[in-house]
Amino acid sequence: MGFDTATATAWITTANAVVKEDEARLTALDAAIGDGDHGANLARGLAAAVAGIEEKRPETPGGVLVAAGRGIVAKTGGASGPLYGSALRRAGKALGDTADADATQLGAALEAMLAAIVELGAAAEGDKTMVDALTPAVQAFTALAADGAEVAAAAHAAADAAEAGLAATIPMQARKGRASYLGARSVGHEDPGAASMTLLLRALAEVTA
Amino acid sequence: MTVGIVLVSHSPALADAVAHLVGELAGPDVAVRAAGGTDDGRFGTSIELIAAAVREAESGDGVCVIMDMGSSVLTAKTLLEDLEDEDDAPRVRLADAPFTEGAVAATVLASTGQDLDAVVDSAEQAWSMRKL
């Protein structure tokens, strides 16, 4: 199975459900080193993403991600709005008009997603941000795709790599966002952005399995 | 015609207050608009509020946007990307400037009829104006 319109829709719908379910945990992580609104903001943004898809009824997986990104940008008040919103829109544009993306095409879309986040947030690996979960995930995905793996296997490896990347943010000192003002006090906590990114990638693995 | 100024803050009250302050300094010829908080009045930023403020502030000479930090900056950058896809988009530049001092510098220069680049430069030079 590839990544078609129904799968793309299921990804965003599932992401909305798991973020809603984990809203309190994300907010607790953010309360430790951020401003304590990441769970609520992202839940609100993903609900708007689902509403945007229902309203637009896009006919391609790329269209689904663009509509979802627009919904997130419009309705998420914090930094996660422009970051996730731009990421999904850029991924959607990278998919173009394809009706059923294969692993190589979806890998390229995930690479576009990472590029959008790096460009907008000017974050690098090691800054204790969502980039620390997404970068190893994209690397794992594209490596498997290059070896001829199907979308499901590549997405599973990506989610595992994101979880390892998330764990690696615990000892890091934040260099971006509100957490960076805490200096050494930001050490010892999972980064909330890396945590939500991991949820999204696990959702992708679930819907493509 | 003068360059318009848009002030983006997480706080509606802060954006409004700085807009009011610089409006007093600049006089009636400069369009200064506040875009603070989310679309439902919470702390945060809203791309829709910023886009509306930019359209109101644009009189044909462009708009200088000044942000406070964090998501204000990211949301304003996202708006620029959106505008690239539009045919009749207003000319917008983001100033990398301290919020209050940059807003004062930009508005005062805009009131003299200088162009958008000069207004943005003036806002950015506010970093180097020492108080003590």
Side-chain angles (χ1 to χ4, degrees):
Chain A
M1 189 180 88
F3 186 75
D4 59 11
T5 306
T7 313
T9 305
W11 181 24
I12 303 304
T13 309
T14 303
N16 179 40
V18 295
V19 165
K20 189 82 200 155
E21 198 172 302
D22 255 1
E23 185 181 326
R25 181 178 69 92
L26 290 175
T27 291
L29 286 176
D30 195 33
I33 58 169
D35 47 7
D37 61 4
H38 186 53
N41 272 341
L42 194 56
R44 189 177 135 91
L46 283 165
V50 171
I53 295 168
E54 281 169 2
E55 188 190 327
K56 286 236 166 187
R57 303 208 165 275
E59 290 173 1
T60 60
V64 168
L65 299 189
V66 169
R70 283 195 203 292
I72 290 178
V73 166
K75 288 293 172 195
T76 314
S80 53
L83 290 168
Y84 276 116
S86 299
L88 287 172
R89 286 197 299 191
R90 202 78 74 80
K93 286 181 185 173
L95 288 173
D97 293 333
T98 184
D100 189 5
D102 63 19
T104 306
Q105 288 168 310
L106 183 55
L110 293 174
E111 278 179 332
M113 193 168 151
L114 174 61
I117 289 173
V118 167
E119 195 181 299
L120 191 58
E125 269 188 283
D127 285 346
K128 198 178 179 96
T129 72
M130 56 176 70
V131 169
D132 290 304
L134 184 57
T135 304
V138 170
Q139 284 165 352
F141 193 104
T142 53
L144 261 76
D147 283 345
E150 297 290 324
V151 166
H156 186 76
D160 287 350
E163 267 158 28
L166 168 62
T169 65
I170 295 173
M172 290 178 186
Q173 179 169 329
R175 290 195 291 252
K176 288 283 164 188
R178 185 188 179 280
S180 64
Y181 296 116
L182 295 172
R185 289 182 183 82
S186 66
V187 171
H189 304 274
E190 280 183 353
D191 176 65
S196 59
M197 180 60 77
T198 301
L199 289 178
L200 258 68
L201 290 162
R202 185 56 73 194
L204 178 64
E206 272 178 34
V207 301
T208 54
Chain B
M1 302 278 244
T2 56
V3 171
I5 310 292
V6 168
L7 302 169
V8 181
S9 169
H10 288 70
S11 153
L14 179 57
D16 287 344
V18 175
H20 188 66
L21 170 70
V22 301
E24 289 289 314
L25 293 168
D29 294 339
V30 184
V32 180
R33 293 288 180 276
T38 62
D39 59 353
D40 55 357
R42 294 173 301 125
F43 286 112
T45 42
S46 158
I47 197 164
E48 286 164 6
L49 286 185
I50 304 170
V54 163
R55 291 194 192 286
E56 280 182 29
E58 167 68 309
S59 63
D61 286 341
V63 176
C64 170
V65 178
I66 299 174
M67 307 74 65
D68 59 357
M69 61 207 165
S71 71
S72 297
V73 180
L74 298 180
T75 306
K77 282 170 82 175
T78 304
L79 175 66
L80 280 197
E81 200 171 332
D82 282 2
L83 292 176
E84 279 173 17
D85 295 339
E86 286 185 22
D87 293 336
D88 191 25
R91 199 156 64 92
V92 179
R93 279 197 61 194
L94 310 184
D96 182 355
F99 193 61
T100 307
E101 293 85 345
V104 169
T107 313
V108 168
L109 210 71
S111 73
T112 67
Q114 295 285 303
D115 69 13
L116 179 57
D117 289 344
V119 169
V120 172
D121 280 351
S122 176
E124 294 184 345
Q125 279 166 20
W127 287 121
S128 59
M129 297 188 46
R130 305 299 305 238
K131 291 167 201 176
L132 294 174

